[in-house]
Each structure stands twice: as structure tokens, then as C-alpha cells.
Amino acid sequence: MDLSKISVVLPSLDPDEKLIRVVDGLLEYGFTDIILVNDGSKQENLHYFTDLAAAHPEIHLLHHEVNKGKGAALKNAFRYFLANRPEGVGVVTVDGDDQHHPEDTRRCVEQMMKSGNIVLGCRDFTLDHVPPRSRFGNHTTSLIFKLFVGMTISDTQTGLRAIPRRQLEILSTIEGDRFEYETNMLLAMKDNGLSFDEVKIRTVYIEENKSSHFRVLHDSWRIYKLILAHFFRYTASSIASFVVDAGGVYVLTKSLSGMLTDPLLSTVSTVGARAVSSLLNFFMNKKLVFRTNVPTGKAMARYYALALPQMLIQWLLDLGIYTLLGVGPEAAGLRTLIHILVMCVLFILSFTIQQRWVFAPEKNK
């Protein structure tokens, strides 16, 4: 396979001899263009960059005077590639700690060139030698991604990613300068309908990953708040719609009370308020929560195909639980509690369905 149109993006901070092994391995496996980024390393570590660049013409060296973060280093290299490699097919990102075998790097590139998709090199976290914090962190993040983003990803923190040129033009513009940028990449893939493949790679941990610059609490929070942002915005959208719905019922009841009587007054007020609040909820979810590229008409048809049966299901569940538990009208407090619990379950279920079906982005290769 001709790798001359593939650039390896290699960000590094305060490297040691492992960086030399990484570069030697990449060259041995046929890579001919390496964009090496010094992300503000200490003075005593700079010789690794200059020595490698002097010894290998295949290396183009980019410097950050101060540490800006892995995300900033990746985006700097991406922009350099787009501006200076007009014939380049794509890039593959590799970590400088010698935990990505060059054969796996090559296989990811081969899959990218075959499918035209982004390719993630995914490790196996069930193996015995995986450090407990890495196993727990990845399993937790993968679960949260599945529940709150609707993406099934085996290795959410992999640094081995092969990215075609067209997709790179999108991913090079997204936010994030540190480790959260790699999470933002995955979220942008979902929002823009970018397809991806997974390639199983070796699971290598050197000295239990002690050389990693990942700060467990600080960087984990930066990552998790991004993943949960959809759900937080969805909750805010639902609260705003509830306020509009309740306010609409009040205004319509007050305005029409002299012209209509129950049950017509109650019906008109409820239906009118729900029509306004549901439209508001739909457009907030489409534009602000899920930020989807699905055509409005198609998304709206799906939205109401979900919303109308959901109202019926809520009523049936309320009634069924009241009957099953023998809760009569006199137990107003208990009935209210049951109603709230049913609403919470349907709230989460509705979020999942809206995310995976109603506003699921159109595929865009």
C-alpha cells in the first residue's frame, strides 16, 4: 500500500527515548511523512525533537513555545496538513509513548483508505494487564457515551485515529485544546453524521501508563461534562417547555373562561397550550439540544409520532399502577408521586428515542 499521501500526526510533551522508537517504527512500516508537534516541552527534552528532525527528512517539526494541550497540538498539525499537503489523502494520529504498534497504525490507515470512514484503533480493556483505573475509566466513559450520546464505541480515549481529508476539514475546526478535544471529535462525528469503523489493536501499557499527562479528576470532568451536555440541554429544554405549557393553560383559561365552560374550556386550554409548548420543545431540541442536520419536516413527523403515543402511554401507566396498587382518588399525594415517577422514566426513554431516531443525523461521508 502506498503511504506517501498519508501524514502521521504525532503530538508530544516532554518525550524520552520512547519517542525515538515510535518514529523508527513508523518509518520501518513505510510511513514517509510525520508531522511532529512539540507541545511546549521543557528545555531538557527539546533535543529529542531537533535530533529526530535532523536525522529524518520525513519529519516536519512544529513548535509550541508553551504547553497548549494535546487538542491544540492536533489541530495545529491538522491545519498544517490541509494547507501544505494538497495531495494528502488523510492523517493518522499516534501517541508518542510507544503504546501504538506501527503495524496497527498501518492497519487503521488501510481500513480508512478502503472504507473512506474515520477509523478508531480500539484496545481490549478486558485483558488482565490493563491498569484498573484505565479499565474502569474506559468502561464508564463507553457506557455514558452509549446512554447519553447514542454512540457505541469500544475505546473512547484511543489516540490512534485515521481521518480522511474531507472529515478532517470538519474536525479541525471544533473546540477544545486539551484531552477533551478527542471527546469533542467523537461528538462532532455524531452531530455531523460522520461514519466510523473500529479496528482492534494491541493493548499496550508501559509501566501502567505512568508517562501519561492525563489528570484523572480535572481532565475527566472536562470530558464527562461534554458527553452529558446533550442531556443537560435536553432537561433545560423540557423545563422551558413545561413552563410555557403551564403558562399557556393559565392564559387560555383566563381568556376563554367567559366564553367557554368545562369540559370544552379545559380541552381547548390544554390542547392549545400543548401545541405551542410542543413546537417550542421540538425546535429547541433540533437546534440547541441535538443540533441535527435532519430535515425539519422529517424530524417533526418523527417527533409527533413519538410525542402523541407517549401521552397515551403515560395515562395508561398511571391508571395501571393506580389499579395494581389499589391507590384511590383520595390518596392524592401518592398518585402524584406515581405520576412523577412515570414521567421521569418516560423522560429518559424519550431522550433516548429522540437522540437515536427522531434527531439522529443523516449519514455524511
Side-chain angles (χ1 to χ4, degrees):
M1 180 182 66
D2 181 16
L3 296 176
S4 62
K5 295 184 178 181
I6 299 296
S7 296
V8 177
V9 171
L10 181 55
S12 184
L13 171 65
D14 296 328
D16 54 23
E17 289 78 8
K18 291 192 288 291
L19 181 61
I20 299 175
R21 296 200 297 269
V22 171
V23 170
D24 288 344
L26 291 167
L27 295 175
E28 179 184 348
Y29 274 80
F31 290 96
T32 61
D33 184 37
I34 300 174
I35 304 173
L36 178 60
V37 185
N38 163 34
D39 186 27
S41 297
K42 297 175 184 176
Q43 187 67 36
E44 59 265 28
N45 301 105
L46 293 181
H47 67 92
Y48 289 105
F49 298 102
T50 55
D51 291 350
L52 283 168
H56 301 291
E58 299 90 346
I59 292 178
H60 180 84
L61 184 58
L62 301 178
H63 276 292
H64 291 172
E65 293 299 323
V66 296
N67 174 245
K68 296 182 179 181
K70 186 178 183 182
L74 289 171
K75 287 190 285 186
N76 189 7
F78 293 165
R79 288 190 289 266
Y80 178 86
F81 169 84
L82 292 171
N84 296 279
R85 301 291 188 268
E87 302 300 320
V89 173
V91 304
V92 58
T93 64
V94 176
D95 292 341
D97 54 7
D98 200 25
Q99 297 193 31
H100 296 145
H101 195 284
E103 182 181 358
D104 291 332
T105 304
R106 186 181 175 108
R107 289 196 301 113
C108 287
V109 170
E110 288 173 347
Q111 178 60 29
M112 178 196 75
M113 297 181 74
K114 176 182 177 181
S115 68
N117 296 333
I118 296 168
V119 176
L120 307 178
C122 297
R123 297 161 290 181
D124 183 355
F125 289 89
T126 65
L127 299 177
D128 292 339
H129 70 279
V130 176
R133 77 166 187 173
S134 298
R135 180 184 296 111
F136 175 78
N138 186 78
H139 286 335
T140 301
T141 308
S142 293
L143 178 61
I144 292 176
F145 248 99
K146 189 168 187 176
L147 293 176
F148 293 99
V149 183
M151 296 180 75
T152 301
I153 304 176
S154 302
D155 185 354
T156 60
Q157 299 303 310
T158 180
L160 180 53
R161 305 178 180 195
I163 309 170
R165 186 184 194 94
R166 180 165 174 255
Q167 287 88 326
L168 193 67
E169 292 173 350
I170 297 173
L171 300 180
S172 62
T173 63
I174 61 178
E175 297 179 351
D177 287 334
R178 298 194 177 274
F179 285 105
E180 78 278 4
Y181 172 71
E182 291 180 304
T183 299
N184 265 337
M185 286 176 64
L186 301 178
L187 296 174
M189 286 159 53
K190 172 66 183 295
D191 291 343
N192 290 277
L194 304 181
S195 299
F196 69 95
D197 302 324
E198 293 189 348
V199 169
K200 189 174 181 179
I201 63 173
R202 294 166 176 82
T203 307
V204 179
Y205 280 94
I206 300 173
E207 296 178 344
E208 292 198 347
N209 212 23
K210 289 180 180 178
S211 62
S212 173
H213 297 284
F214 187 85
R215 297 164 295 178
V216 176
L217 295 179
H218 186 268
D219 290 320
S220 293
W221 165 242
R222 294 170 72 101
I223 290 170
Y224 287 138
K225 72 178 182 180
L226 292 172
I227 300 173
L228 295 171
H230 278 99
F231 188 72
F232 293 150
R233 291 196 298 266
Y234 175 77
T235 302
S237 169
S238 298
I239 292 173
S241 300
F242 170 78
V243 171
V244 170
D245 187 78
V249 170
Y250 175 80
V251 170
L252 288 172
T253 301
K254 194 79 170 175
S255 303
L256 300 176
S257 59
M259 295 178 282
L260 303 175
T261 58
D262 280 330
L264 184 58
L265 175 61
S266 177
T267 301
V268 171
S269 299
T270 300
V271 172
R274 184 59 55 89
V276 174
S277 66
S278 65
L279 282 173
L280 173 66
N281 183 253
F282 167 78
F283 283 107
M284 285 195 297
N285 286 355
K286 185 178 190 300
K287 300 294 185 181
L288 302 178
V289 178
F290 300 106
R291 301 171 181 176
T292 182
N293 61 358
V294 178
T296 298
K298 183 177 182 179
M300 185 175 290
R302 291 176 176 178
Y303 177 86
Y304 283 104
L306 169 65
L308 296 176
Q310 184 176 322
M311 292 174 59
L312 177 61
I313 291 171
Q314 180 176 331
W315 175 73
L316 291 174
L317 284 174
D318 282 351
L319 185 61
I321 295 174
Y322 297 158
T323 303
L324 181 65
L325 299 181
V327 180
E330 68 283 355
L334 181 56
R335 289 168 71 99
T336 301
L337 176 61
I338 291 171
H339 177 72
I340 292 173
L341 292 175
V342 169
M343 285 184 64
C344 288
V345 172
L346 292 179
F347 176 80
I348 296 173
L349 181 63
S350 177
F351 170 79
T352 302
I353 297 174
Q354 288 190 47
Q355 174 183 254
R356 299 193 179 194
W357 178 58
V358 176
F359 299 108
E362 303 279 299
K363 291 298 181 182
N364 175 21
K365 290 192 175 185

